């Protein structure tokens, strides 16, 4: 018996001896450590998954001491990976304060102690789920893609729908899915499109699902970019004739453009569609509802063709002339009537183009993307995020969030305190989600990258995150249930004349 106790104590002592220790001999640096992902001085929500990191230049070994209040955590190895329980203990001490992080790294046998940094923790929680498309940046190989969802409080990821489920061998038998969207962050009220083979729009609403055939002779195309009304069974779509060209000399490798685009209104309950904006000299796109449900924001570019034929060729030739402004239309939820359009932001007057308007849940802020020209700024290296104060009418670039490369698609959290946005800041090719906090006075924190259990994950993951959208919970419909609906017949829409 005594021998067994002795052996157990010996094993425990050995394990303790093998644990991380703060180096006794080191040189001190006046610089903070260069880590990846860069979590230095960021603000994170109280319910975010643990932040893991490594040295940007691979180290022989690392030791990190994380402390908050009376809690201290000592971690070591070639990567710093706190467990969920350890992280929660730190966060509980650091809410609305900070976690102090002290890093030691060894190169060529020499330890360096770096200047400490902080990870600040906000009591403003974030929505627990995020969904996005995962797609290769290959421009043509789009069939291997999914709509996926990530539990932001841990690292769990699952597939909502897999594009390959309805793809078949043979020319024209592929499928492409896009534009997932939710009504008020509700995963039980969602829609997405499938194009090409067995295409249609999938509408899921409180347990009921159907595939809608939205193409009609009286509208330009099936619905493309959606915007659910905050509470009515109403979706505004843009309808688009979209094309792309590859460029030989331009730093922007690809140009995605519309030769025509309009706005339509789809009544989910009545299965009726109506033209809302279809001026032949205007290209309307990217609708977005204000949270009060009384204003519809969207973008429009004035473009007059000089030739009645060959519209694609003319847009290609004049693509740098295409400049989008932001407009809005009033809406009466009682009468379902829209008002006349009003100019909200004149980007063309600045020789710029504004796209993707998104209004904050409190109605105070309008975030959008700005570039020199065009509609698809995810392909433009100069794409930046801007913010417009709807109370004062002043707009400015979000320098706190922008990088030297592309920032594009963005979405507000349901409490209006967080924004997720797409960025290609690391390499100009792969789009990854970043988060930033905004306080009640409009001050932004430094953005941080979506955490992973392995900090090296995004450097090895050869997929782009496309259209990140917050959700209040997970989509519980299984991928094969969606596939079954898509393989069935589409319900054709009924056209209703504009009032």
């Amino acid at each position: 018996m005594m021998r067994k106790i002795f052996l157990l104590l010996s094993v425990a002592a050995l394990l303790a001896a093998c644990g991380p220790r703060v180096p006794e001999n080191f040189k001190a640096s006046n610089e903070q450590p260069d880590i990846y992902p860069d979590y230095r001085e960021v603000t994170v929500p109280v319910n975010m998954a643990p932040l893991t990191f490594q040295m940007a230049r691979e180290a022989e070994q690392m030791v990190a001491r994380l402390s908050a209040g009376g809690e201290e955590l000592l971690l070591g190895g070639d990567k710093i990976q706190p467990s969920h329980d350890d992280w929660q203990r730190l966060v509980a001490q650091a809410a609305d304060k900070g976690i102090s992080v002290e890093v030691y790294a060894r190169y060529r046998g020499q330890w360096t102690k770096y200047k400490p940094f902080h990870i600040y923790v906000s009591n403003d929680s974030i929505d627990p789920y995020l969904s996005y498309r995962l797609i290769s940046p290959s421009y043509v190989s789009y069939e291997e893609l999914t709509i996926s969802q990530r539990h932001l409080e841990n690292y769990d990821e699952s597939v909502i729908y897999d594009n390959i489920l309805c793809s078949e061998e043979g020319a024209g038998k592929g499928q492409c899915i896009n534009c997932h969207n939710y009504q008020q962050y509700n995963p039980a009220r969602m829609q997405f499109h499938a194009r090409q083979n067995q295409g249609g729009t999938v509408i899921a609403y409180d347990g009921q699902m159907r595939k809608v055939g939205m193409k009609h002779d009286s509208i330009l195309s099936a619905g493309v970019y959606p915007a659910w009304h905050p509470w009515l069974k109403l979706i505004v779509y843009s309808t688009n004739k979209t094309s792309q060209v590859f460029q030989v000399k331009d730093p922007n490798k690809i140009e995605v453009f519309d030769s025509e685009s309009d706005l339509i209104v789809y009544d989910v309950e009545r299965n009726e569609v109506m033209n809302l904006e279809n001026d032949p000299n205007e290209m309307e796109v990217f609708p977005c509802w204000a949270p009060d449900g009384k204003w519809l924001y969207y973008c429009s570019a004035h473009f007059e063709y000089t030739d009645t034929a060959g519209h694609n060729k003319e847009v290609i030739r004049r693509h740098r002339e295409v400049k989008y402004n932001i407009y809005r239309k009033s809406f009466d939820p009682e009468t379902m009537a829209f008002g006349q359009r009003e100019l909200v932001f004149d980007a063309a007057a600045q020789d710029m183009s504004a796209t993707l308007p998104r209004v904050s849940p409190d109605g105070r802020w309008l975030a959008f993307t700005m570039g020199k020209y065009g509609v698809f700024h995810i392909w433009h290296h100069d794409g930046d995020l801007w913010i417009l104060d709807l109370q004062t009418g002043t707009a400015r670039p979000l320098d706190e969030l922008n990088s030297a490369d592309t920032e594009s698609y963005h979405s507000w959290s349901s409490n209006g305190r967080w924004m997720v946005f797409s960025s290609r800041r690391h390499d100009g090719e792969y789009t990854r989600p970043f988060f930033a906090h905004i306080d009640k006075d409009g001050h932004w924190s430094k953005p941080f990258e979506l955490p992973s259990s392995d900090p090296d994950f995004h450097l090895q993951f050869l997929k782009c995150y496309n259209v990140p959208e917050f959700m209040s919970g997970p989509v519980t419909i299984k991928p094969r249930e969606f596939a079954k609906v898509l393989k069935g017949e589409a319900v054709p829409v009924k056209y209703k004349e504009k009032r």
Side-chain angles (χ1 to χ4, degrees):
M1 184 66 179
M2 291 298 295
R3 180 175 174 81
K4 287 183 179 180
I5 294 173
F6 175 76
L7 287 172
L8 288 172
L9 291 173
S10 298
V11 170
L14 181 61
L15 289 173
C18 293
R21 291 183 175 183
V22 174
E24 295 180 359
N25 299 309
F26 55 81
K27 63 177 183 179
S29 172
N30 291 324
E31 303 291 330
Q32 290 183 340
D34 185 10
I35 60 171
Y36 176 80
D38 184 5
Y39 292 139
R40 298 170 299 180
E41 311 303 322
V42 300
T43 298
V44 301
V46 67
N47 60 327
M48 180 59 82
L51 304 192
T52 66
F53 61 90
Q54 61 192 20
M55 297 300 292
R57 178 168 68 95
E58 187 177 358
E60 296 167 356
Q61 194 175 353
M62 293 176 65
V63 171
R65 179 159 46 200
L66 288 71
S67 56
E71 288 289 332
E72 184 174 287
L73 182 61
L74 196 63
L75 299 168
D78 56 351
K79 300 171 183 178
I80 303 303
Q81 298 167 286
S83 71
H84 184 271
D85 289 345
D86 285 341
W87 180 257
Q88 286 304 309
R89 281 194 290 272
L90 281 173
V91 165
Q93 294 290 323
D96 275 337
K97 300 179 217 173
I99 299 171
S100 176
V101 185
E102 189 177 77
V103 173
Y104 300 78
R106 190 180 70 194
Y107 293 101
R108 296 183 180 180
Q110 173 66 56
W111 283 97
T112 298
K113 177 186 177 183
Y114 292 93
K115 184 179 177 181
F117 64 89
H118 291 86
I119 297 171
Y120 299 101
V121 179
S122 170
N123 268 326
D124 293 326
S125 62
I126 202 165
D127 297 280
Y129 278 82
L130 185 76
S131 61
Y132 37 76
R133 286 200 310 167
L134 292 177
I135 184 170
S136 300
S138 58
Y139 318 121
V140 290
S141 180
Y142 56 80
E143 288 182 23
E144 292 183 14
L145 65 91
T146 64
I147 302 175
S148 296
Q149 57 189 354
R150 163 73 187 270
H151 193 177
L152 294 177
E153 296 174 353
N154 54 46
Y155 309 117
D156 293 345
E157 183 182 75
S158 59
V159 172
I160 296 175
Y161 179 68
D162 191 332
N163 195 69
I164 208 70
L165 291 174
C166 286
S167 290
E168 302 173 15
E169 290 186 11
K173 294 293 187 179
Q175 191 182 80
C176 178
I177 47 171
N178 60 4
C179 299
H180 54 284
N181 193 260
Y182 310 90
Q183 185 181 47
Q184 285 295 88
Y185 309 90
N186 187 345
R189 299 177 178 182
M190 70 170 296
Q191 72 93 68
F192 67 89
H193 303 303
R195 296 181 294 183
Q196 295 182 291
N197 187 45
Q198 298 172 326
T201 299
V202 175
I203 306 284
Y205 201 93
D206 292 349
Q208 301 295 315
M209 262 197 302
R210 72 172 182 261
K211 173 183 170 182
V212 178
M214 210 170 289
K215 289 183 179 180
H216 193 281
D217 291 342
S218 298
I219 60 178
L220 184 63
S221 73
V224 180
Y225 303 114
W228 281 89
H229 187 272
W231 67 86
L232 295 175
K233 290 185 178 181
L234 201 69
I235 308 175
V236 174
Y237 291 98
S238 64
T239 55
N240 307 64
K241 287 190 175 179
T242 303
S243 302
Q244 66 181 23
V245 292
F246 294 91
Q247 307 197 81
V248 177
K249 295 182 179 180
D250 198 294
N252 298 324
K253 299 175 183 177
I254 187 172
E255 187 63 30
V256 178
F257 62 92
D258 290 332
S259 58
E260 295 179 67
S261 56
D262 298 329
L263 294 182
I264 62 171
V265 181
Y266 175 65
D267 188 316
V268 175
E269 200 159 43
R270 293 183 173 88
N271 194 36
E272 291 178 344
V273 67
M274 177 185 77
N275 275 306
L276 179 60
E277 289 286 311
N278 57 350
D279 187 327
N281 296 321
E282 293 287 328
M283 293 192 285
E284 299 92 354
V285 71
F286 297 136
C288 164
W289 287 100
D292 64 4
K294 296 180 180 180
W295 292 97
L296 178 75
Y297 290 80
Y298 63 96
C299 300
S300 185
H302 185 77
F303 192 86
E304 297 184 23
Y305 286 98
T306 58
D307 190 352
T308 56
H311 282 186
N312 272 18
K313 290 183 179 179
E314 185 166 348
V315 176
I316 293 169
R317 188 175 71 249
R318 298 171 53 197
H319 70 279
R320 291 179 180 272
E321 299 176 30
V322 182
K323 313 278 184 177
Y324 285 81
N325 295 326
I326 299 176
Y327 296 88
R328 71 177 184 176
K329 295 170 76 72
S330 63
F331 177 73
D332 186 335
E334 297 295 324
T335 63
M336 305 283 278
F338 288 89
Q340 297 300 309
R341 79 171 189 175
E342 302 174 12
L343 180 64
V344 175
F345 181 74
D346 193 345
Q350 303 181 39
D351 197 28
M352 299 290 282
S353 183
T355 60
L356 292 169
R358 294 290 183 270
V359 183
S360 61
D362 63 1
R364 171 74 185 274
W365 308 100
L366 175 70
F368 59 97
T369 304
M370 186 98 103
K372 284 295 292 179
Y373 60 88
V375 69
F376 231 61
H377 290 138
I378 191 66
W379 293 115
H380 294 181
H381 293 292
D382 69 344
D384 278 335
L385 294 175
W386 278 58
I387 195 80
L388 170 67
D389 187 334
L390 291 172
Q391 289 184 1
T392 66
T394 58
R396 67 176 182 87
L398 272 174
D399 294 331
E400 306 95 313
L401 275 57
N402 292 322
S403 70
D405 217 297
T406 307
E407 273 70 48
S408 182
Y409 195 95
H410 46 280
S411 176
W412 294 94
S413 66
S414 60
N415 62 8
R417 287 289 172 255
W418 300 93
M419 180 181 284
V420 60
F421 63 94
S422 300
S423 180
R424 291 185 171 173
R425 63 187 59 201
H426 289 320
D427 50 29
E429 296 292 337
Y430 288 93
T431 310
R432 299 180 179 96
F434 283 75
F435 303 84
H437 181 260
I438 178 174
D439 67 17
K440 59 182 178 61
D441 298 315
H443 300 127
W444 292 87
S445 68
K446 177 181 174 179
F448 66 94
E449 191 171 343
L450 175 68
S452 301
S453 59
D454 185 338
D456 198 43
F457 176 74
H458 283 141
L459 297 180
Q460 308 297 327
F461 188 53
L462 303 182
K463 296 280 187 180
C464 289
Y465 291 78
N466 182 257
V467 191
E469 288 278 1
F470 285 114
M471 308 143 71
S472 60
V475 173
T476 57
I477 300 169
K478 302 301 181 187
R480 292 197 177 276
E481 294 178 64
F482 281 125
K484 183 178 179 180
V485 170
L486 277 168
K487 289 175 181 178
E489 291 297 319
V491 180
V493 292
K494 294 172 284 187
Y495 180 72
K496 180 181 179 180
E497 291 290 342
K498 183 179 178 181
R499 286 179 290 180

